Amino acid sequence: NAGVTQTPKFRVLKTGQSMTLLCAQDMNHEYMYWYRQDPGMGLRLIHYSVGEGTTAKGEVPDGYNVSRLKKQNFLLGLESAAPSQTSVYFCASQNQGPISNQPQHFGDGTRLSIL
Amino acid sequence: DAKTTQPNSMESNEEEPVHLPCNHSTISGTDYIHWYRQLPSQGPEYVIHGLTSNVNNRMASLAIAEDRKSSTLILHRATLRDAAVYYCILSVFMEYGNKLVFGAGTILRVKS
């Protein structure tokens, strides 16, 4: 059981380039989340999705777009990368359940550097 | 936004119990208290969560104060594999799903 898989694991971009980070989960979870983690800090929510075809903004959405065309996949896009977006990006999935009661399952992250 | 306060770091000896404290004085009635841990170069791993009552699972115990403004994660016998950053998190209800509000966490070091 793979759980939550993120690709790629590492990437270096130049300022202004675009790229897409892929998150795939095989647990049939309804909810999926994208977070970023900067050095020495906790994770911050970028965008999330409560089901196929739906997305919503989190705490720090500027500069990012997302899509959830299939239930098992959640894509995070950077249209024009900026050095401030250098970070480690984590995807998580969650089973739909009682309010605030379900743990989130995280992937191992994508380390993104923007020069 | 909902916020937690934890010690920056703690140290424990192997095979001894560890008590990791957390303050969350601004917690609201519907916020669950979650604990996750993160090993180097890995994503956060769920440990335990609760609302009002103390909770036990195979990994740890969670003791929640009666006024819910603080909680303590208890690792009964620390091992070297328990060395990680431990996050005390308030799981805040959104219209759908829940947002995990992370703080900076506590770095736990385990000595052999």
Side-chain angles (χ1 to χ4, degrees), chain B residues 64-86:
Chain B
I64 300 172
E66 196 169 335
D67 63 5
R68 299 210 326 125
K69 292 185 177 181
S70 65
S71 61
T72 302
L73 178 71
I74 302 164
L75 306 179
H76 296 288
R77 291 180 63 191
T79 70
L80 297 177
R81 290 177 296 176
D82 291 324
V85 179
Y86 284 79

Side-chain angles (χ1 to χ4, degrees), chain A residues 4-9 21-24 34-35 88-92 106-110, chain B residues 43:
Chain A
V4 178
T5 304
Q6 293 185 233
T7 53
K9 296 191 185 317
L21 281 64
L22 172 63
C23 176
W34 275 107
Y35 294 86
V88 181
Y89 291 85
F90 289 99
C91 175
F106 285 83
D108 283 336
T110 294

Side-chain angles (χ1 to χ4, degrees), chain B residues 13-71:
Chain B
N13 293 318
E14 200 175 9
E15 303 292 319
E16 291 184 354
V18 181
H19 288 68
L20 297 168
C22 180
N23 289 318
H24 29 78
S25 58
T26 60
I27 192 170
S28 71
T30 57
D31 294 344
Y32 278 75
I33 301 157
H34 283 232
W35 283 81
Y36 284 72
R37 69 181 185 182
Q38 187 175 23
L39 279 67
S41 300
Q42 294 188 21
E45 175 189 26
Y46 168 78
V47 177
I48 199 167
H49 76 281
L51 183 62
T52 57
S53 303
N54 294 345
V55 184
N56 299 295
N57 67 20
R58 62 175 181 83
M59 291 182 71
S61 295
L62 176 60
I64 300 172
E66 196 169 335
D67 63 5
R68 299 210 326 125
K69 292 185 177 181
S70 65
S71 61

Side-chain angles (χ1 to χ4, degrees), chain A residues 37 94 99-101 104 111, chain B residues 32 36 41 49 87 98:
Chain A
Q37 184 175 33
Q94 180 188 30
I99 295 171
S100 300
N101 198 21
Q104 294 184 14
R111 285 150 185 80
Chain B
Y32 278 75
Y36 284 72
S41 300
H49 76 281
Y87 293 100
N98 57 284

